[in-house]
Amino acid sequence: MNALPHGGLALSSLEEQLLQPGVKGLPITAPLRQGAIGVQGWKLLHGDTSFPVAVLKTSALRHNLDWMRAFCERNKVELAPHGKTTMSPQLFGAQLANGAWGITLANAVQVQVAHRFGVRRVLVANQLVARSDVRAVLQLLHDDPDFECFVLADSLAGVARLAEEVAQHPLSRPLPVLVELGLSGKRAGCRTLDEAMTVARALERAPGLLLAGFEGYEGLLDDPQAVEDFVRQLCALVLEADDEGLFGSPEILVTAGGSGFFDLVARGFQGLHGLSRPLRPVLRSGCYLTSDHGMYQVQLQRLDRREGIKPGEGLRPALEIWSVVQSRPEPGLAILTMGKRDASHDAGLPVPLWTHRPGPGAPHALPAACEIVKMNDQHAYLRLPEGDPIRDSLAVGDLVGCGISHPCTTFDRWPLLLAVDDDYLVRGALNTFF
Amino acid sequence: MNALPHGGLALSSLEEQLLQPGVKGLPITAPLRQGAIGVQGWKLLHGDTSFPVAVLKTSALRHNLDWMRAFCERNKVELAPHGKTTMSPQLFGAQLANGAWGITLANAVQVQVAHRFGVRRVLVANQLVARSDVRAVLQLLHDDPDFECFVLADSLAGVARLAEEVAQHPLSRPLPVLVELGLSGKRAGCRTLDEAMTVARALERAPGLLLAGFEGYEGLLDDPQAVEDFVRQLCALVLEADDEGLFGSPEILVTAGGSGFFDLVARGFQGLHGLSRPLRPVLRSGCYLTSDHGMYQVQLQRLDRREGIKPGEGLRPALEIWSVVQSRPEPGLAILTMGKRDASHDAGLPVPLWTHRPGPGAPHALPAACEIVKMNDQHAYLRLPEGDPIRDSLAVGDLVGCGISHPCTTFDRWPLLLAVDDDYLVRGALNTFF
């Protein structure tokens, strides 16, 4: 999953690093070379890892990489997956090796991480405004003339700040900027097409900058119709700016697409024709790679229905957190050794899926009525349904495997995740840099 | 803030490590030795750091260390502050250098981190149940005969698991175990005094283990009266177990005390007399060190009233997150470059305190009606009150300083925090290991 030409050295340095005892999930009592993790023969189901542990199922990752590549090819769009989801160089490498056009990021330090590990094209789907952060990105572009980085602007003030920094730290080529179209009452981005065009015209005039396209984020919407309208507005901006001859780049970038509506975005971009130069339509889904057992599962089931994808053939959940029953203090309650430090809690609590008494055999599905009802920093409260045999059988020391809702806020809890096969044999490790 | 005898080498290795570009808060574009951060002359208020950035005010830390030491001396209790709050070796060092008896931790990997950085006595305020995790702790105790570690049990199953592992990995001395008393409907811990005594008797009999005391966590309660009752129950257990001659240690440990009611706990423990051996009453507050601008500020104001501590003389908030206005898309809305990845959101959203246009001068207090109403992964939504001049003055690029609610879930978002003086000049850095 690695071997990028430029960052290969940095990636292999991760394999060479000595991990010290004290890394979540690792059962080591002496330093261990990261690259040796996959040959330890650790079986999660035998209780060989430390708990809690975050695991990525390699079969699901493989499926999702292939699925998304085929989706993009079928829909004639590029993919710059949002790297902020995982911030994992090994996963960036896998995405790029599977056809991704670039990696989307949220801020300057994330760009620095991606560049260090060999990513050659990044899209900062955000305004860069702090002077030190603009300079950090300009420095990378200055030192590495083939590195490509797109940034956003949504105001004249933002354009002026970028232009000022570029004037003080000149580059050999203009900095490509996308104008962000926003949504009334939502996050950043111009609120009207007129505002967006004003910013686009300012970019066309600003020395050292060029207008490279338009960007929006439809993921803050709930309604497919509203998404389609928003994508139409983005397309209208592209046409208008092209009519006015504002684009300074050899191709026109148009980008949107979180992880819930990327089908509608791709379809919307297909309507863009008759431009003066080639169009580069780019999706940015970050969570397609792991999906989840919560908010994205729900959104992706809707997407599957829209796309006519049969149950079981869509994106698959790849990320699970396993913990141990540490206490059975009441008949209907089990306390687990994981908490807010280990699993997302911002878009629904973890979903208990499996239980297993450490040793041979396959895990058992937990009854659907089992529910994690609360988490503290380091504990989860698992409610066991009345009248179910699980109340008697679940014991201190049993393993519990949970799915999560919202991968972004679980990945950022784990400096190291373990890659496992379908039998939960540990095959390797993936780093994150948050 | 460091220079512990045992872990001094590991601590100084942190100062020697080369930090790569891509660490949140650091404005570097080339590797920098961590120990050199304090001599860069970075002024947060001049916009010299990367944003968002997490800062600890050293004057508040100093005040809080002194305050808590004096509190414990006055109340004749020891302090084993919960290290899971910060997981920062430099802060562990500062706490131990200021009289802490040990460090409390939540699981085996946290114990490994603390041991690596020179902590000599830890209290695992949790059941250790996973085989690999019990073994990791036993290995430390085996390899380092002077290292001390207390763990909890709240069930016969838990006692049996500990005894089994100790039998397989014998130590030169018994493993000291505390029985956890819990609360009906709450987290782990025995639900009745009878259950707790049953576990205590099992510990007395278990080869390789000894009963060292009793533990409880009153922080899940809201009502001071209920806290006092709970502490009385803990004390009753100590007396009963001592009457039965169950304690196997030269002194008796009794411990409780989160960050909201530690005064009531300390006072409750003062009623324990007439034991067969010396009593060691231990508080475990983790959040006293930084306090906050949210849930603990409220709880600590109540504590101050109970204790007759004058306004301004209590614990002080030390932790702030600074970000930048990246967009002003609507008159009443500013979008900030920080989000759920940077600041707690589980016990109230961040509290906007200060604004400053990068450059000389002091920051201005934001109007109290300014409010962060929402956060995404990387963004915060700052609402600006109607009719307030801030609506016109707050501009793209302005800095905003926020307090937070619940330090634990902010510390774990930052591998590195910057220590600042009262002028926000960067004086050094502190690592965390989550």
Side-chain angles (χ1 to χ4, degrees), chain B residues 193-208:
Chain B
L193 300 191
D194 279 353
E195 276 176 53
M197 285 305 296
T198 302
V199 178
R201 291 181 198 113
L203 282 168
E204 194 266 339
R205 288 191 306 269

Side-chain angles (χ1 to χ4, degrees), chain A residues 375-387:
Chain A
M375 288 203 293
N376 296 145
D377 292 354
Q378 312 273 167
H379 301 83
Y381 298 61
L382 176 63
R383 276 272 158 235
L384 308 174
E386 198 138 5

Side-chain angles (χ1 to χ4, degrees), chain A residues 28 49-50 84 126-127 132-133 154 185 187 191 326-327 330 340-341 346 376-377 408 412-413, chain B residues 49-50 84 112 126-127 132-133 154 185 187 191 326-327 330 340-341 346 376-377 408 412-413:
Chain A
I28 59 176
T49 64
S50 174
K84 63 121 187 173
N126 227 343
Q127 290 71 30
S132 54
D133 290 320
D154 70 350
R187 210 159 69 188
R191 292 305 194 246
Q326 68 177 91
S327 182
E330 297 177 10
K340 292 190 260 188
R341 254 87 184 269
D346 60 315
N376 296 145
D377 292 354
C408 305
D412 61 15
R413 300 327 199 127
Chain B
T49 64
S50 174
K84 63 120 188 174
Q112 290 178 316
N126 226 344
Q127 289 72 29
S132 54
D133 291 320
D154 70 348
R187 211 159 68 186
R191 292 306 194 245
Q326 69 178 88
S327 182
E330 296 177 10
K340 291 189 262 187
R341 254 87 183 267
D346 60 315
N376 297 145
D377 292 352
C408 305
D412 62 15
R413 302 324 200 129

